[in-house]
Amino acid sequence: MHACSCTDTHDTRRVVLTGGPGAGKTAILEFMRLAFCRHVVILPEAAGLLFGGGFPRNQSPVRLRAVQRAIFHVQRELEESTSGDNAAIVVCDRGTPDGAAYWPGPGTLWDAVGTTAEEELGRYGAVIHLRTPSDANGYNFRNPLRTETVEEALEIDETIGSIWSRHPGYVEVAAAEDFLVKAREALEILRGEVPTCCRDSVSPSFVV
Ligand SMILES: [Zn+2]
Ligand SMILES: [Zn+2]
């Protein structure tokens, strides 16, 4: 994040960065934080906040449902917390629809929290889906909170795609051998979402 001379009032637009485990989302968000101006606000991941804070976690359906409802509400409030920031873009580290990929049933996550898939998809202006690499190592950033195998990671990535691809602003970023190629593509897409009043404040070394 760096200086920006823009004094406009922005219509805040939410952009989701999502992807299966190992897709490099955390590192790309870090680049985004460095490359864009203060009017591009980057939110933390709701699941990361909860698990990092010790929210009880195991594979029992009761726990899985509690976790996903908690993530949903934390995500909603994270987004709400930026409403006074005059942000041009709020980058969400996953959005509320991602939780549907982890919902064990019965019923849907949407029923459980009193909303619909359409309403939740409609909260976001654009969706950048970073695909999980299919090789065993992927982008191994040694995330200590990660518990999935490669096969599970790919399956989750597929499910995330099936949830978000209905969104009219859905864009996929393929897994590239060179991680920086993938990162640059994601940054370019985000730059395209930034309004012209703030676009000149993008740090060029990150996007050329
Ligand atoms: Zn601006
Ligand atoms: Zn700005």
Side-chain angles (χ1 to χ4, degrees):
M1 186 179 77
H2 50 93
C4 176
S5 57
C6 175
T7 55
D8 289 9
T9 300
H10 301 111
D11 287 325
T12 304
R13 191 171 152 84
R14 294 189 195 101
V15 175
V16 173
L17 191 69
T18 189
K25 190 165 56 62
T26 306
I28 288 175
L29 280 166
E30 210 43 56
F31 287 142
M32 287 174 169
R33 209 184 305 276
L34 294 168
F36 292 89
C37 76
R38 64 194 163 90
H39 300 108
V40 176
V41 174
I42 316 269
L43 289 178
E45 187 192 46
L49 291 177
L50 286 166
F51 297 144
F55 196 96
R57 187 183 198 191
N58 66 26
Q59 293 302 306
S60 83
V62 171
R63 284 272 162 82
L64 292 173
R65 287 192 290 269
V67 161
Q68 291 309 321
R69 285 191 302 266
I71 289 173
F72 176 88
H73 292 297
V74 168
Q75 182 62 37
R76 279 292 197 93
E77 295 299 334
L78 279 171
E79 293 170 11
E80 180 55 31
S81 74
T82 64
S83 60
D85 292 359
N86 189 30
I89 302 284
V90 171
V91 180
C92 301
D93 185 346
R94 302 187 194 277
T96 53
D98 285 278
Y102 300 89
W103 184 253
T108 65
L109 168 65
W110 314 127
D111 292 339
V113 293
T115 183
T116 62
E118 286 63 37
E119 191 181 326
E120 296 309 312
L121 290 169
R123 301 169 54 74
Y124 305 97
V127 184
I128 304 170
H129 178 185
L130 306 169
R131 299 308 306 246
T132 294
S134 55
D135 65 322
N137 295 318
Y139 307 121
N140 186 5
F141 295 116
R142 299 177 192 280
N143 182 341
L145 301 175
R146 190 159 291 150
T147 57
E148 297 89 357
T149 65
V150 177
E151 291 72 24
E152 285 167 345
L154 288 170
E155 202 175 306
I156 292 167
D157 190 55
E158 277 300 311
T159 309
I160 288 170
S162 70
I163 291 166
W164 283 108
S165 56
R166 298 158 55 196
H167 191 287
Y170 174 83
V171 193
E172 264 188 18
V173 178
E177 206 167 300
D178 179 353
F179 177 69
L180 290 177
V181 170
K182 186 183 193 184
R184 200 166 286 146
E185 191 180 334
L187 286 161
E188 288 279 14
I189 294 166
L190 183 61
R191 183 172 186 270
E193 297 291 332
V194 173
T196 49
C197 59
C198 280
R199 205 175 283 174
D200 288 344
S201 296
V202 179
S203 180
S205 61
F206 283 96
V207 286
V208 292

